[in-house]
């Protein structure tokens, strides 16, 4: 799997637009019922207990900016042998793609970024654009 872009709350995963937050593995993805970084708790990533092989590394895209999660969150996954990094969603997509290319056993949990005004509000609920938007496929209609 590769993440080719994000726009208007959707992710372009292997040429399919997926709406909402997602958890991506090198060979599959799942919808993630989390809409805000404050909702990210160990139980929201319980799927890591069931996927085989279990990832060694989880990248969490926390939206427009990096949100530092509680140290107990990191400790929970450390006990499972999983390293966790948080970063803006756009950066998490790029890092995931590089890890997949290098054949790392990785997972990526992604929130879509919100656009904020100077006051830190998002009155119109707009989504951030990004530079990952793919070029049109030469054999497919655009």
């Amino acid at each position: 799997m590769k993440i080719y872009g994000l726009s208007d709350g959707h992710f372009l995963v292997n040429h399919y637009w997926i709406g909402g937050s997602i958890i991506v593995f090198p060979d599959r993805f799942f919808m993630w019922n989390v809409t805000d970084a404050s909702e990210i708790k160990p139980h929201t990533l319980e799927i890591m207990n069931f996927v085989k092989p279990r990832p060694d590394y989880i990248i969490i895209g926390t939206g427009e900016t990096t949100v530092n999660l509680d140290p107990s969150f990191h400790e929970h996954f450390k006990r499972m042998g999983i390293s966790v990094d948080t970063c803006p969603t756009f950066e998490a997509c790029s890092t995931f793609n590089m890890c997949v290319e290098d054949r790392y056993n990785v997972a990526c949990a992604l929130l879509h970024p919100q656009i904020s005004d100077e006051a830190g509000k998002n009155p119109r609920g707009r989504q951030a654009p990004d530079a990952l938007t793919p070029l049109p496929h030469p054999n497919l209609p655009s």
Side-chain angles (χ1 to χ4, degrees), residues 50-77:
F50 303 104
V51 294
K52 302 292 182 213
R54 180 185 289 169
D56 300 315
Y57 179 41
I58 300 172
I59 308 157
I60 301 177
T62 56
E64 185 179 7
T65 61
T66 299
V67 175
N68 293 318
L69 301 175
D70 190 82
S72 65
F73 181 90
H74 293 274
E75 282 300 317
H76 173 83
F77 287 100

Side-chain angles (χ1 to χ4, degrees), residues 31-47:
M31 302 306 296
W32 191 29
N33 192 22
V34 173
T35 58
D36 186 76
S38 65
E39 298 174 13
I40 302 172
K41 308 288 183 218
H43 74 272
T44 66
L45 291 167
E46 197 167 293
I47 192 168

Side-chain angles (χ1 to χ4, degrees), residues 37 61-67 87-91 111-117 120-122 126-128:
T62 56
E64 185 179 7
T65 61
T66 299
V67 175
C87 56
T89 295
F90 178 83
E91 185 180 324
L111 296 177
H112 52 82
Q114 299 286 325
I115 297 175
S116 301
D117 61 16
K121 296 187 178 168
N122 185 2
R126 295 178 8 210
Q127 304 298 315

Side-chain angles (χ1 to χ4, degrees), residues 83-137:
S83 299
V84 177
D85 281 333
T86 59
C87 56
T89 295
F90 178 83
E91 185 180 324
C93 294
S94 299
T95 303
F96 174 79
N97 288 340
M98 287 189 301
C99 288
V100 168
E101 286 176 12
D102 291 340
R103 300 191 179 275
Y104 288 158
N105 187 13
V106 64
C108 189
L110 300 167
L111 296 177
H112 52 82
Q114 299 286 325
I115 297 175
S116 301
D117 61 16
E118 295 80 28
K121 296 187 178 168
N122 185 2
R124 293 185 296 239
R126 295 178 8 210
Q127 304 298 315
D130 83 349
L132 287 175
T133 304
L135 298 173
H137 190 281

